[in-house]
Amino acid sequence: MPDVFVNYRTGDEESAATMIARKLARRFGGERIFFAGNSIEFGHRFPVELVRAVEE
């Protein structure tokens, strides 16, 4: 279960959020970071997965 949830709005400095998520993953391990672009598998419903991750 991820401990850190990185959130951003599309078109709103996604590159900064990506860099932050990468740094956090290096520091704490990628399995502990939730970053939608990397954490939601293809074919899964995006809104459902976001809510699930926040609830965890």
Side-chain angles (χ1 to χ4, degrees):
M1 167 183 359
D3 298 312
V4 180
F5 186 93
V6 179
N7 190 28
Y8 65 94
R9 293 185 309 189
T10 303
D12 214 15
E13 266 323 301
E14 295 138 42
S15 59
T18 300
M19 287 188 288
I20 290 168
R22 285 182 187 159
K23 290 271 190 186
L24 288 168
R26 276 189 232 125
R27 171 81 181 207
F28 301 110
E31 69 282 350
R32 295 183 63 193
I33 310 302
F34 180 91
F35 187 69
N38 299 337
S39 301
I40 298 176
E41 295 180 27
F42 292 111
H44 287 228
R45 293 182 49 202
F46 199 81
V48 171
E49 292 299 315
L50 285 176
V51 170
R52 182 195 54 76
V54 169
E55 288 175 341
E56 287 181 358

